[in-house]
Amino acid sequence: EMIVNMADAYLSTGKLLGIVITSTATGVIVDKPPVSTTVSPVSITVSRGSVELGSVKLWFDDSELRSAQRRLTLLTALFMLGILIAYVLSMNIIARKILSRPLAMIMKGIEAVSGGNYLHRIPEGTHEDLNILVGTLNRMAESILTANRRITESEQRYSAIFNSSAVAIMLVDKEENLVDVNESMLQMFGLESRDEARKYSIDLDYNDPSNDPAVLSAMKNAAEEGSELFFSWTARRPIDGTAFHTEVTFRKVTLADGEFTLVQIIDVS
């Protein structure tokens, strides 16, 4: 903005008919060529060592060029303007070089965390503003890691309780598919594995035909309404068809994957 204001000031004096300033890093900064003129522009390349920073094109008025005093003024102004442009352009390039490495490290850290590596931490640098972003990203990764650890611990506790219970347990989804069972259920119904247990239907295979259909329906309705009631139920082993008497509870539960019916069965035969 400083360069643009200075260019406007020189153009307003009439000493310059037009000016175009281009940065190698950012492109055109000032683009104000003359509307029409027969005068060729004076082109100057601004560099720092071997690095080209940009270029300046200036269009002068003929009458000004014929005046030695004014020519000296213009040359002085041109020199000052060149110094200012060189300073601004060099600062732009230096800033890019200084920030390129920490920004690359931040992007690498974001890629690592988004890929599931929540242990990755982005090191802080010397730039206070960037460190605020780094701190936020590291805290986000730590929060996700803590939440995942809690979920894992919860699942482990659930699995331990689920499988160590002496009560047979079935977990059934809304479509009445058997999702999971515990070890006690496999033993009670004479089954070898969970995959084998999932092949059978509660209504058709685990339910003995001697049961009143209204009983099983009432158990399901009670669970759907949020009630937890005990029912006498004649269960059936699907492989050999053996019937046995049980006390059963249907209860609605909400887990991370949705709503399910938890069926708890006690063999009272």
Side-chain angles (χ1 to χ4, degrees):
E1 186 177 355
M2 184 184 300
I3 294 176
V4 174
N5 292 337
M6 182 173 288
D8 288 336
Y10 278 112
L11 288 171
S12 65
T13 63
K15 296 175 182 179
L16 290 178
L17 297 178
I19 179 170
V20 174
I21 303 174
T22 304
S23 164
T24 303
T26 60
V28 176
I29 298 175
V30 178
D31 187 17
K32 297 187 177 182
V35 177
S36 62
T37 182
T38 58
V39 179
S40 299
V42 176
S43 298
I44 301 173
T45 299
V46 181
S47 60
R48 183 185 180 89
S50 61
V51 179
E52 182 176 331
L53 303 177
S55 62
V56 181
K57 288 184 178 181
L58 300 170
W59 284 265
F60 296 103
D61 188 288
D62 280 340
S63 60
E64 298 295 333
L65 293 175
R66 288 192 293 266
S67 171
Q69 183 179 2
R70 292 189 177 184
R71 183 167 59 247
L72 178 61
T73 301
L74 290 173
L75 291 174
T76 302
L78 176 62
F79 177 73
M80 294 177 62
L81 185 60
I83 293 175
L84 179 60
I85 293 171
Y87 173 77
V88 173
L89 296 181
S90 62
M91 287 299 100
N92 188 296
I93 292 176
I94 291 171
R96 284 170 176 259
K97 289 183 178 179
I98 291 175
L99 295 178
S100 61
R101 184 175 179 183
L103 286 175
M105 293 180 65
I106 290 174
M107 290 304 300
K108 183 178 179 181
I110 292 174
E111 290 175 0
V113 173
S114 63
N117 182 9
Y118 303 121
L119 290 172
H120 183 85
R121 295 294 178 269
I122 305 171
E124 292 189 352
T126 58
H127 303 281
E128 184 176 349
D129 291 341
L130 291 181
N131 286 340
I132 295 174
L133 174 60
V134 168
T136 301
L137 293 172
N138 286 339
R139 285 192 297 273
M140 179 184 68
E142 182 64 31
S143 298
I144 296 174
L145 182 63
T146 301
N148 284 349
R149 284 173 176 167
R150 289 175 180 171
I151 291 172
T152 300
E153 292 171 359
S154 178
E155 289 176 345
Q156 290 173 346
R157 288 195 298 268
Y158 165 78
S159 179
I161 295 171
F162 188 76
N163 289 312
S164 63
S165 174
V167 177
I169 299 175
M170 298 179 177
L171 194 64
V172 184
D173 65 17
K174 288 185 176 181
E175 287 72 36
E176 300 190 3
N177 298 312
L178 196 58
V179 176
D180 199 6
V181 299
N182 66 350
E183 293 295 332
S184 295
M185 184 275 177
L186 296 176
Q187 295 174 10
M188 185 179 293
F189 286 86
L191 302 172
E192 295 292 332
S193 67
R194 286 176 167 82
D195 288 337
E196 184 180 20
R198 294 188 188 101
K199 295 178 181 178
Y200 301 110
S201 164
I202 292 181
D203 288 352
L204 301 177
D205 302 301
Y206 294 113
N207 179 52
D208 190 74
S210 64
N211 287 317
D212 183 350
V215 174
L216 191 60
S217 177
M219 288 191 290
K220 294 177 181 177
N221 291 337
E224 195 64 32
E225 293 171 1
S227 302
E228 184 176 350
L229 301 176
F230 287 95
F231 294 87
S232 294
W233 180 50
T234 303
R236 177 178 177 272
R237 295 184 177 93
I239 294 179
D240 59 15
T242 304
F244 58 101
H245 297 291
T246 68
E247 293 290 336
V248 62
T249 302
F250 277 52
R251 181 161 60 92
K252 182 179 175 181
V253 294
T254 302
L255 303 179
D257 297 336
E259 292 184 347
F260 299 88
T261 299
L262 186 69
V263 184
Q264 296 173 289
I265 308 166
I266 301 174
D267 187 350
V268 296
S269 57

